[in-house]
Amino acid sequence: MAWKTVKTNQAPTPITASFPPPARNTASLPSALTPSAAIALSQEMTANSAVTPSTPSAPMVMVRACGVGAPQVLSSTARTTSPTQTICVNRVSWAADSARYVKEPSPPSSRMMPASNWTPAEASSTQAAGSRRRWTASLFTVASPDRGNRMTRKALHIPPGPVSVPRGTPNRWKGPVRGRGTRTARREPPIRRPRLIRMRIVALAGGIGGARFLRGLQAAAPEAEITVIGNTGDDISLFGLRVCPDLDTVMYTLGGGINEEQGWGRTDETFTVKEELAAYGVGPGWFGLGDRDFATHIVRTQMLAAGYRLSSVTEALCDRWKPGVRLIPMTDEQVETHVVVDDPEHGRRAIHFQEWWVRLRASLPALSIAPVGADEAKPAPGVLKAIEEADVVLFPPSNPVVSIGTILAVPGIREAVAANTVVGVSPIIGGAPVRGMADACLTAIGVETSAKAVAEYYGLGLLDGWLVDGADGDVRVEGIEVRSRPLLMSDPEATAAIARAALDLALELKKEAP
């Protein structure tokens, strides 16, 4: 066996396998309170730290091998160079797969490293060690730290010949028989697989209707990257706690903790705390917070008081529920929707939307509805970027006034959405809202309760496609592509079909766009 020495004056290049940390914004978080997201990030960074030899003073041997013979070369090199550490760098992707077909496993002192992390200075000399049609390996002996920075590179040529292939090896590794019990492995080019690009979807969502649509969207596009921009105009402070109903409804629904019958709150909920507060005469009693739900609001309030932004708090809460989407509030700043009513007892006054919606059940006609603070708010970090990078933007059948309309009221969001392909799902079927009291909200702003009027309310410059129910099949809106289909989200299958139709229309319009 011939040895070839290649001289070089270049210092040895450290071999490390580094992994970028997850995209989490923890730099701005104070140290007073560490959320579960920061703990998980720390564990991930520790687990993904650089590959470091267990014995720093021992020399390191790098073996670059490919093909079926790679594991035998690795095993043989590790035995002959002990106690050095051996790292196998695979040039082609399928070389690593062949390791499991070898009877003799690699020694414990060896490590498998992808070729993308192998960065020596002179890769050309490796290819010069032999033809690609032959099984070759390059052996790099790096001097130990106590021996200085001298480096000697030797290329070990592995001559071609019969190789014993164990039973169970895939046929693509087997060649013509060259004797009893031996086969010559047939070298095949690496399989070129098409690059799969995941669709990026952004959805603007409110509460119950938006959350259920998102669940159908996940079933319709399981491989898509879904970012949900949640409405925070319904947020309210109760009992000293900050409550975010729409964000929590999306998180609970997609995380499997929602009360399916009522569409909000936790499943298997109890109301002991609420009953005890009522016994003390502490209100309001018209807003039902369950015992399990209290825990979410306590954690959120503590983190906000410690200086965390709402977007960071939402990310930490989602670490527990694993909703399968990236949930971002529309803004980190406080925005609350208020309604002006003529109260028979107190005259004309402005009340919080939750009081008008939950306590009064929209029984008093709304004279006006305004998202207080929205005009001065800024989009939360990641909102505009997600919209700009999205392939499509979807409007679920949420309330067009106090949910999606509030999100669009934040400066910069409407303009970013208008620059993308937007498809909406009508929340109105046959002139009536599917759920809730959206008709009362539309009446307050002077918009007719119809699928056509809602599309016109969003506007031609914003909406590209509009899904309506079969009961509104005759709806036509100039400049907007209108498609009719059943829109009643009666079960998960029907909801997934609605989401799939919205995606199909969005992709069709995106393809036709100039």
Side-chain angles (χ1 to χ4, degrees):
M1 184 177 298
W3 289 80
K4 179 181 179 181
T5 303
V6 181
K7 297 182 179 180
T8 176
N9 295 326
Q10 194 164 0
T13 304
I15 308 298
T16 60
S18 59
F19 300 83
R24 297 177 183 267
N25 189 0
T26 58
S28 61
L29 304 184
S31 58
L33 181 61
T34 302
S36 58
I39 298 176
L41 173 61
S42 176
Q43 294 174 349
E44 292 175 7
M45 296 180 63
T46 304
N48 295 334
S49 58
V51 176
T52 307
S54 58
T55 307
S57 60
M60 179 183 294
V61 176
M62 295 279 312
V63 176
R64 177 176 181 140
C66 60
V68 181
Q72 287 93 332
V73 174
L74 173 62
S75 178
S76 174
T77 306
R79 288 195 301 268
T80 58
T81 58
S82 180
T84 59
Q85 291 206 354
T86 305
I87 300 180
C88 180
V89 184
N90 297 284
R91 179 67 180 275
V92 292
S93 60
W94 43 261
D97 298 336
S98 64
R100 58 186 175 187
Y101 300 124
V102 181
K103 291 182 178 179
E104 182 179 8
S106 300
S109 61
S110 63
R111 297 171 183 259
M112 302 296 292
M113 182 187 297
S116 60
N117 292 328
W118 184 74
T119 56
E122 297 129 334
S124 58
S125 62
T126 304
Q127 298 182 1
S131 173
R132 291 184 60 134
R133 295 182 178 274
R134 303 168 57 191
W135 290 332
T136 63
S138 298
L139 182 65
F140 299 91
T141 303
V142 185
S144 301
D146 54 353
R147 296 174 58 185
N149 286 329
R150 296 181 296 107
M151 179 177 70
T152 304
R153 177 181 299 172
K154 296 182 179 180
L156 175 62
H157 290 224
I158 308 298
V163 176
S164 177
V165 180
R167 295 180 181 179
T169 305
N171 291 332
R172 66 190 181 98
W173 297 109
K174 298 179 181 179
V177 177
R178 292 291 186 268
R180 180 179 295 273
T182 61
R183 293 179 182 268
T184 300
R186 182 173 66 250
R187 178 68 176 271
E188 295 183 1
I191 300 176
R192 296 185 179 274
R193 296 179 174 86
R195 182 183 179 185
L196 300 178
I197 301 178
R198 302 176 64 181
M199 180 184 297
R200 290 168 293 189
I201 305 172
V202 167
L204 278 58
I208 301 173
R212 291 181 174 176
F213 176 84
L214 291 171
R215 189 162 53 185
L217 180 61
Q218 286 181 315
E223 299 298 328
E225 295 181 3
I226 303 175
T227 300
V228 180
I229 301 175
N231 170 45
T232 61
D234 293 359
D235 295 4
I236 187 173
S237 295
L238 297 170
F239 311 109
L241 303 177
R242 192 61 179 169
V243 182
C244 302
D246 284 1
L247 293 178
D248 293 343
T249 298
V250 172
M251 182 175 66
Y252 292 156
T253 301
L254 302 184
I258 197 70
N259 186 323
E260 294 289 349
E261 295 183 1
Q262 61 187 19
W264 53 270
R266 295 282 302 278
T267 185
D268 299 328
E269 187 63 281
T270 57
F271 294 89
T272 304
V273 175
K274 179 183 177 182
E275 295 171 357
E276 290 296 313
L277 289 173
Y280 282 109
V282 177
W286 48 264
F287 200 95
L289 291 179
D291 300 333
R292 295 174 182 268
D293 206 18
F294 260 110
T296 300
H297 308 317
I298 291 173
V299 173
R300 177 187 293 116
T301 304
Q302 286 182 339
M303 295 184 68
L304 290 174
Y308 287 83
R309 298 178 300 188
L310 180 59
S311 55
S312 300
V313 175
T314 305
E315 181 183 4
L317 294 174
C318 287
D319 280 344
R320 174 197 173 183
W321 289 101
K322 303 292 188 290
V325 301
R326 183 187 180 194
L327 179 58
I328 313 176
M330 64 183 191
T331 180
D332 284 331
E333 302 173 38
Q334 183 170 324
V335 175
E336 292 185 358
T337 301
H338 285 222
V339 182
V340 177
V341 297
D342 277 332
D343 193 333
E345 298 180 0
H346 304 89
R348 179 169 297 185
R349 64 191 184 102
I351 60 177
H352 194 282
F353 170 77
Q354 293 293 351
E355 184 178 356
W356 180 69
W357 191 261
V358 179
R359 186 177 75 88
L360 300 177
R361 303 298 297 172
S363 59
L364 294 180
L367 302 180
S368 63
I369 299 177
V372 179
D375 55 344
E376 299 179 356
K378 296 180 180 179
V383 169
L384 297 182
K385 182 178 180 181
I387 297 175
E388 294 171 359
E389 296 179 351
D391 297 305
V392 297
V393 178
L394 300 180
F395 289 177
S398 298
N399 193 307
V401 180
V402 296
S403 292
I404 295 181
T406 304
I407 299 174
L408 295 174
V410 177
I413 294 184
R414 186 182 184 91
E415 292 76 12
V417 170
N420 211 314
T421 302
V422 184
V423 170
V425 180
S426 174
I428 307 297
I429 296 180
V434 179
R435 186 184 179 96
M437 297 162 287
D439 52 344
C441 298
L442 291 170
T443 302
I445 62 174
V447 177
E448 181 186 7
T449 305
S450 67
K452 179 179 180 180
V454 173
E456 294 174 341
Y457 165 71
Y458 284 138
L460 173 61
L462 182 68
L463 207 60
D464 299 299
W466 188 238
L467 287 184
V468 299
D469 189 79
D472 304 306
D474 58 343
V475 170
R476 297 292 182 271
V477 182
E478 184 179 357
I480 299 176
E481 184 68 24
V482 181
R483 301 284 176 85
S484 63
R485 70 170 325 278
L487 290 186
L488 193 60
M489 297 187 293
S490 55
D491 52 61
E493 291 75 17
T495 307
I498 296 172
R500 191 175 299 109
L503 283 178
D504 292 342
L505 178 57
L507 294 177
E508 179 182 337
L509 296 175
K510 188 178 184 66
K511 184 177 180 180
E512 294 178 355

